[in-house]
Amino acid sequence: QVQLVESGGGLMEPGGSLRLSCAASGFFFGAATMAWYRQVPGKQRELVARIRSYGGSDYATSVKGRFTISRDNAKNMVYLEMNNLRPEDTAVYYCNTQFGPIPYWGPGTQVTVSS
């Protein structure tokens, strides 16, 4: 079955950097579009970045130029490099893929940006 497991979250000061990782299994990773979403309490989950099987990517306006999504198809891994972190980046970050109408999610990893 599809499994996604995030890691790499934590507490960081504003201006700092973090790298999130997502280990994927149970599907043909190389053909899948992968994405990172984030959610804060009381708000809808929002798309942060997405990377397609061929490597094309797109980003939310709020993170463009600061975050970079990448993938390693040999390791079934997707990453989110987050630079120049801001307090408003504080959220639970989720790894995602989707097959047809069915989305799959990891359990999430907390990122807190605070001084």
Side-chain angles (χ1 to χ4, degrees):
Q1 69 275 25
V2 174
Q3 283 197 320
L4 302 170
V5 180
E6 304 93 342
S7 61
L11 174 64
M12 179 55 63
E13 292 185 344
S17 298
L18 281 173
R19 188 196 197 204
L20 305 184
S21 300
C22 172
S25 62
F27 60 100
F28 182 31
F29 181 82
T33 293
M34 302 298 299
W36 287 96
Y37 283 72
R38 66 187 181 188
Q39 188 171 24
V40 298
K43 291 191 175 182
Q44 278 194 327
R45 198 169 291 190
E46 65 170 356
L47 176 67
V48 176
R50 177 170 46 209
I51 186 166
R52 295 170 181 77
S53 58
Y54 60 86
S57 59
D58 50 318
Y59 298 88
T61 301
S62 60
V63 307
K64 202 171 292 185
R66 300 187 299 122
F67 290 12
T68 302
I69 190 170
S70 62
R71 64 191 297 159
D72 185 336
N73 289 343
K75 296 181 179 179
N76 284 14
M77 297 288 294
V78 61
Y79 306 99
L80 186 68
E81 185 75 33
M82 305 186 295
N83 298 314
N84 192 18
L85 283 162
R86 304 169 179 168
E88 54 264 37
D89 295 319
T90 296
V92 178
Y93 283 71
Y94 297 93
C95 184
N96 162 272
T97 193
Q98 183 157 337
F99 299 107
I102 304 174
Y104 294 89
W105 304 96
T109 185
Q110 176 71 46
V111 171
T112 302
V113 184
S114 174
S115 54

